[in-house]
């Protein structure tokens, strides 16, 4: 049955009788499931696994204090062998942009130079809010996600370290940002953060990886060099002419119906039968992925994913995910903006091929396409050199922060608000971006934040400046909350799984749960932001400023 619910830009429509596409292998998993998302989907006929996985260029500043320029520009790229060239935005002519690699404590100043055209190639309108005519169509500000930087004068458009959303610049201008990188080894990422246009700017291609290295990381003897590979995910949809599709009216969020990894859709990677380290980043606007490896020819479980690090650096205990010897072993779940540091040991799998399987469904079942296969690993027959790298199962202890030491507990309610024009806005605590700052944690203090989600879908919550620990998630009565404003817990607290036991800067906040996190506000006072990392939600209103204030002077 073909049931067209609506047509045209931004309207949802559903095609029930989708032709299932199989791969030309013994084991046929549909590349798409049943159902289609609004927007053309020429990717439906594409052959998977014909393009090699690209590896982004690496920028490796070598001085204690370095200063570099990176250009934001528009160019064309091929997402797939059989797709025409596609116009995108990126950094220094690539999307994802170059991977920036620094040593802990190495000071880096970046001149983010805006050489984009003055007219955006994607439409703009979020949640029915028409573009603000007082804002230029193309405006940009770059944020280094996960970085601890100073931000004392957030509206300074020239010297802006954290990428304050309102401090955007326009083509021909630059933003100078200083990154002290005084943080333990971890994967950060940089991306656009301009007010009301982050969704289409990042979707256009403005993102890249940023790695901080340190001695502890080297002491772990992890696979390195060509055996350490970034996997940067970003969902895409295409018009029939190969151009990127972004809806004219964004109703909720943009899931996309194909997955680009390092800028190719359905790439393959030839690996040697040995250990590899993969640096995963979900740079998608809205889509969560849940990953494991499955053998291409049989669909049977492939090698396990050993997660050694999350957003904020190394974990204490390696999380074993997608373990072929344990059917109950979970998948690796990454919501937008989450990162994972993962080791895969292919040594027992010479000559076999595995695809990266994803079984996460988009939140709204409104005909969103599942993307069950993301890429293919082809394991060669021999190693080119002996593998002397290590796979640690234990790393440094992570001191657990205790709620007993919290100076404050705050509630952040994820909710919908009815607008006068009849539309709905997604907001945090019912407040808009422009409302006065409420959260003013004191520098050096610890707080518990309770993220209560009263909406119908999951929100990946992100806060700038700090990394945090996830305490637990407890179900509550959403209907009662909507009537009384009271949170009544309805079940026991669920402790986070092994993947979430380390340091995080993004946490999945599922509907109907209070997700508790604990954070210490350091090392800088200043103005920062917290928001949902579904980019269309962020643009729509799920973003708020907060201010870390200096401790009051002690009385003599
Ligand atoms: Cu990934 Cu406010 O950012
Ligand atoms: Cu951030
Ligand atoms: Cu959200």
């Amino acid at each position: 049955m073909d049931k067209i619910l609506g047509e045209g830009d931004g309207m949802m429509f559903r095609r029930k009788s989708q032709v299932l596409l199989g791969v030309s292998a013994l084991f046929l998993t549909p590349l798409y499931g049943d159902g289609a998302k609004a927007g053309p989907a020429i990717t439906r006929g594409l052959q998977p696994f014909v393009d090699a996985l690209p590896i982004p260029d690496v920028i490796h500043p070598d001085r204690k204090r370095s200063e570099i320029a990176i250009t934001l520009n528009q160019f064309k790229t091929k997402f797939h062998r059989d797709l025409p060239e596609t116009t995108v935005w990126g950094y220094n002519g690539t999307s994802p942009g170059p991977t920036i690699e620094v040593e802990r404590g190495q000071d880096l100043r970046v001149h983010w130079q805006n050489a984009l055209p003055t007219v955006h190639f994607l439409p703009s309108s979020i949640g029915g809010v028409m573009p603000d005519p007082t804002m230029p169509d193309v405006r940009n500000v770059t944020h280094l996600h996960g970085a601890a930087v100073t931000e004392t004068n957030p509206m300074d458009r020239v010297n802006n370290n954290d990428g304050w959303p309102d401090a955007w610049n326009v083509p021909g201008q630059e933003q100078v940002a200083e990154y002290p990188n005084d943080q333990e080894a971890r994967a950060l990422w940089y991306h656009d953060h301009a007010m009301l246009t982050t969704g289409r700017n990042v979707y256009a291609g403005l993102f890249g990886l940023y790695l901080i290295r340190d001695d502890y990381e080297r002491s772990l003897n992890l696979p390195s060099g060509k055996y350490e590979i970034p996997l940067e995910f970003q969902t895409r949809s295409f018009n029939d002419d190969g151009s990127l599709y972004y809806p004219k009216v964004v109703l909720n969020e943009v899931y996309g119906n194909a997955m680009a990894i390092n800028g190719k859709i359905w790439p393959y990677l030839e690996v040697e039968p040995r250990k590899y380290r993969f640096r995963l980043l979900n740079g998608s606007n809205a889509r969560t992925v849940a990953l494991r490896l499955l053998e291409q020819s049989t669909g049977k479980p492939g090698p396990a994913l050993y997660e050694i690090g999350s957003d904020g650096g190394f974990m204490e205990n390696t999380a074993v995910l997608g373990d072929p010897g344990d059917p109950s072993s979970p998948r690796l779940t990454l919501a937008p903006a989450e990162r994972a540091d993962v080791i895969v040991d292919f040594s027992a799998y010479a000559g076999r091929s595995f695809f990266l399987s994803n079984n996460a469904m988009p939140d709204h079942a409104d005909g969103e396409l599942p993307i069950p296969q993301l890429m293919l690993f082809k394991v060669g027959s021999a190693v080119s050199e002996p593998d002397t790298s290590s796979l640690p199962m234990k790393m440094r202890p992570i001191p657990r922060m205790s709620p007993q030491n919290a100076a404050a507990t705050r509630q952040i309610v994820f909710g919908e608000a009815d607008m006068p024009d009849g539309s709905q806005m997604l907001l945090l605590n019912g407040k808009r971006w422009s409302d006065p700052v409420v959260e003013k944690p004191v520098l050096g203090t610890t707080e518990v934040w309770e993220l209560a989600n009263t909406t119908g879908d999951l929100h990946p919550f992100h806060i700038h400046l700090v990394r945090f620990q996830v305490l637990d998630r407890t179900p509550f009565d959403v209907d009662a909350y909507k009537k009384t404003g009271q949170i009544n817990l309805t079940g026991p607290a669920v402790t986070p799984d092994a993947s979430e036991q380390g340091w995080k800067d993004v946490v999945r906040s599922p509907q109907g749960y209070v997700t508790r996190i604990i954070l210490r506000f350091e090392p800088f006072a200043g103005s920062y932001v917290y928001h949902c990392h579904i980019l269309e939600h962020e643009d729509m209103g799920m973003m708020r400023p907060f201010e870390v204030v200096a401790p009051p002077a002690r009385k003599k």
Side-chain angles (χ1 to χ4, degrees):
M1 186 192 68
D2 277 275
K3 191 177 169 218
I4 309 279
L5 299 174
E7 45 194 10
D9 266 316
M11 306 289 278
M12 300 292 185
F13 62 96
R14 196 182 302 231
R15 290 188 211 139
K16 276 272 155 69
S17 54
Q18 202 63 52
V19 178
L20 297 188
L21 257 186
V23 292
S24 54
L26 286 172
F27 180 65
L28 298 178
T29 300
L31 286 168
Y32 292 119
D34 187 9
K37 162 71 178 143
I42 62 165
T43 45
R44 203 171 282 133
L46 292 178
Q47 200 182 330
F49 317 133
V50 295
D51 292 287
L53 178 81
I55 308 292
D57 296 340
V58 177
I59 293 181
H60 202 149
D62 53 359
R63 305 231 174 98
K64 183 82 184 91
R65 295 182 61 84
S66 291
E67 190 150 357
I68 60 173
I70 292 180
T71 306
L72 288 66
N73 55 358
Q74 176 172 308
F75 53 94
K76 286 182 187 292
T77 187
K78 291 262 288 181
F79 279 98
H80 185 278
R81 183 192 68 188
D82 300 329
L83 276 181
E85 290 202 307
T86 303
T87 296
V88 295
W89 288 0
Y91 300 90
N92 288 354
T94 67
S95 175
T99 300
I100 301 173
E101 258 194 61
V102 296
E103 185 68 17
R104 177 177 185 174
Q106 185 184 358
D107 193 88
L108 179 64
R109 269 163 76 86
V110 180
H111 295 248
W112 300 101
Q113 298 180 328
N114 192 338
L116 291 166
T118 53
V119 178
H120 210 302
F121 71 95
L122 296 172
S124 151
S125 169
I126 296 298
V129 182
M130 292 319 284
D132 181 342
T134 66
M135 288 190 194
D137 187 31
V138 172
R139 52 187 190 275
N140 301 88
V141 60
T142 304
H143 164 61
L144 180 55
H145 177 128
V149 299
T150 55
E151 193 71 293
T152 43
N153 181 9
M155 274 313 293
D156 185 336
R157 290 175 198 267
V158 180
N159 294 292
N160 201 290
N161 299 331
D162 198 45
W164 188 256
D166 286 323
W168 39 260
N169 59 48
V170 296
Q173 299 181 328
E174 71 169 15
Q175 166 197 357
V176 185
E178 181 139 6
Y179 306 116
N181 298 311
D182 196 8
Q183 294 173 277
E184 289 170 5
R186 74 188 68 172
L188 315 179
W189 65 298
Y190 57 94
H191 61 77
D192 195 81
H193 216 306
M195 197 62 198
L196 292 172
T197 191
T198 297
R200 65 174 178 157
N201 283 359
V202 175
Y203 187 85
L206 291 176
F207 79 119
L209 200 62
Y210 187 110
L211 302 174
I212 300 181
R213 309 281 191 191
D214 67 10
D215 287 336
Y216 177 70
E217 175 185 28
R218 278 184 289 273
S219 78
L220 293 173
N221 185 38
L222 303 170
S224 61
K226 62 179 174 170
Y227 305 113
E228 182 189 15
I229 292 180
L231 298 176
E232 302 173 52
F233 299 85
Q234 196 180 36
T235 47
R236 263 71 194 68
S237 291
F238 298 91
N239 295 304
D240 289 335
D241 63 0
S243 58
L244 278 183
Y245 170 80
Y246 193 78
K248 279 214 179 74
V249 177
V250 175
L251 294 179
N252 280 304
E253 52 275 302
V254 177
Y255 284 113
N257 55 24
M259 181 66 81
I261 307 179
N262 299 354
K264 290 279 183 208
I265 57 177
W266 293 302
Y268 69 86
L269 177 69
E270 285 173 352
V271 294
E272 298 176 13
R274 54 158 290 148
K275 290 188 282 303
Y276 279 76
R277 181 182 183 193
F278 296 105
R279 310 300 294 268
L280 282 73
L281 156 67
N282 186 356
S284 301
N285 283 39
R287 197 185 273 265
T288 294
V289 292
L291 308 172
R292 69 174 304 166
L293 292 169
L294 294 178
E295 183 155 25
Q296 188 187 26
S297 58
T298 62
K300 296 234 172 79
L305 308 173
Y306 292 94
E307 188 185 7
I308 57 172
S310 52
D311 308 334
F314 291 109
M315 304 198 294
E316 179 169 342
N317 298 300
T318 297
V320 188
L321 306 163
D323 182 355
D326 173 6
S328 70
S329 147
R331 288 178 175 244
L332 170 63
T333 301
L334 291 177
E338 287 190 297
R339 286 90 72 206
D341 193 344
V342 167
I343 291 182
V344 178
D345 188 355
F346 293 105
S347 58
Y349 298 90
R352 295 159 68 178
S353 294
F354 300 90
F355 58 79
L356 187 59
S357 144
N358 163 43
N359 75 347
M361 285 296 294
D363 254 336
H364 296 289
D366 312 311
E368 297 287 356
L369 290 167
I371 313 177
Q373 298 176 358
L374 302 183
M375 67 175 288
L376 188 72
F377 295 94
K378 300 186 201 178
V379 189
S381 54
V383 292
S384 57
E385 56 192 87
D387 180 6
T388 55
S389 67
S390 310
L391 163 52
M393 294 308 289
K394 251 193 156 352
M395 278 86 45
R396 275 186 302 214
I398 293 180
R400 302 307 302 179
M401 288 195 273
S402 163
Q404 270 145 21
N405 303 327
T409 297
R410 300 181 198 267
Q411 224 163 50
I412 309 291
V413 178
F414 294 66
E416 283 132 6
D418 295 319
M419 294 291 109
D421 67 351
S423 66
Q424 276 204 326
M425 259 183 113
L426 288 163
L427 295 176
L428 299 170
N429 285 342
K431 298 213 177 330
R432 309 181 70 147
W433 167 252
S434 50
D435 288 327
V437 174
V438 174
E439 291 82 20
K440 295 185 178 174
V442 177
L443 180 65
T445 62
T446 299
E447 298 192 356
V448 172
W449 284 28
E450 302 177 343
L451 315 171
N453 184 347
T454 71
T455 72
D457 47 6
L458 178 144
H459 303 278
F461 177 85
H462 169 54
I463 182 163
H464 290 204
L465 179 71
V466 294
R467 58 181 185 175
F468 53 78
Q469 293 173 359
V470 184
L471 292 171
D472 50 29
R473 295 184 174 93
T474 313
F476 73 103
D477 186 337
V478 173
D479 291 333
Y481 174 81
K482 285 184 175 164
K483 287 190 200 102
T484 66
Q486 295 294 313
I487 298 221
N488 301 327
L489 301 177
T490 55
V494 183
T495 47
D497 64 24
S499 268
E500 291 183 308
Q501 296 285 348
W503 292 107
K504 299 283 296 164
D505 59 41
V506 180
V507 64
R508 279 165 262 136
S509 174
Q511 53 273 44
Y513 280 83
V514 176
T515 301
R516 292 197 313 152
I517 59 175
I518 184 162
L519 356 68
R520 185 169 304 125
F521 290 88
E522 55 186 14
F524 304 118
S527 295
Y528 301 92
V529 309
Y530 64 85
H531 55 92
C532 172
H533 222 291
I534 289 181
L535 300 180
E536 288 78 23
H537 293 183
E538 171 184 337
D539 282 340
M540 202 181 293
M542 278 196 153
M543 178 165 73
R544 289 281 300 150
F546 73 97
E547 195 184 331
V548 182
V549 297
R554 266 199 273 145
K555 294 200 194 84
K556 296 230 170 101

